[in-house]
Amino acid sequence: MMLWLVALLSAGLFALGWWVSRPVPWLLRWLFRLAVLVMLLALVLPPGAIDWIRDALSVLMPLARQADEVPGASYIVHFSLFFGVSGLLFWTRPDLGRLYPVLAMAAMAVITEGLQLLVDGRFASWGDVLANLIGVGVAAAVVWTIRLAWPTPSRP
């Protein structure tokens, strides 16, 4: 019943990611867009769809099917998704400063977890929100440390 709302909000989040990545060089732009798409799909697809994807991946990676049996796998997935998307955002858009991208990714961490409440068979967890936020924080620390250690030359 709420599928239309989940689809609409997810499409809106993807459109925002698409828009933010417009000035980025094409390879990093499409990598960022793909990362946002994978993150949204991983966080809002129903369990049956995730099982189907996991089964398809297990043809190439036999251990993919047992991934959900690993203790803490959910936290690792949440952390990894938000680390990847946040890291790409912070790396490719230093012109946005630090505050707005961090706030945007923190909002995304809460919104995507809230969207899971609207999907049958999914649930929201404060632990997952925390894993998302830790992914954002670690990505910020890594990217800003690299930028501090190796500043890019300014363009004329």
Side-chain angles (χ1 to χ4, degrees):
M1 183 167 112
M2 292 291 194
L3 187 59
W4 66 270
L5 182 58
V6 172
L8 183 66
L9 291 172
S10 297
L13 291 172
F14 183 68
L16 182 61
W18 187 282
W19 177 75
V20 165
S21 67
R22 286 181 334 142
V24 176
W26 74 271
L27 182 60
L28 289 173
R29 176 184 334 135
W30 286 100
L31 184 61
F32 176 77
R33 290 172 179 174
L34 178 63
V36 170
L37 181 63
V38 167
M39 180 181 70
L40 288 171
L41 289 175
L43 296 177
V44 300
L45 280 177
I50 292 173
D51 288 341
W52 182 86
I53 292 169
R54 192 178 304 122
D55 288 342
L57 285 175
S58 68
V59 172
L60 300 172
M61 299 180 296
L63 295 178
R65 189 70 192 121
Q66 289 83 22
D68 60 341
E69 297 170 10
V70 175
S74 172
Y75 299 123
I76 293 168
V77 169
H78 281 264
F79 171 85
S80 300
L81 290 169
F82 275 85
F83 176 82
V85 171
S86 298
L88 283 168
L89 176 63
F90 301 151
W91 185 261
T92 59
R93 293 300 310 270
D95 58 307
L96 295 176
R98 293 183 176 180
L99 179 63
Y100 293 121
V102 168
L103 290 177
M105 290 307 300
M108 181 92 81
V110 174
I111 291 168
T112 55
E113 199 63 28
L115 281 175
Q116 291 183 20
L117 292 172
L118 304 175
V119 178
D120 289 335
R122 297 295 298 261
F123 63 93
S125 155
W126 287 111
D128 288 346
V129 171
L130 183 60
N132 296 346
L133 293 173
I134 291 171
V136 172
V138 172
V142 168
V143 168
W144 296 336
T145 299
I146 290 171
R147 289 217 181 267
L148 187 61
W150 295 287
T152 49
S154 57
R155 298 179 183 168

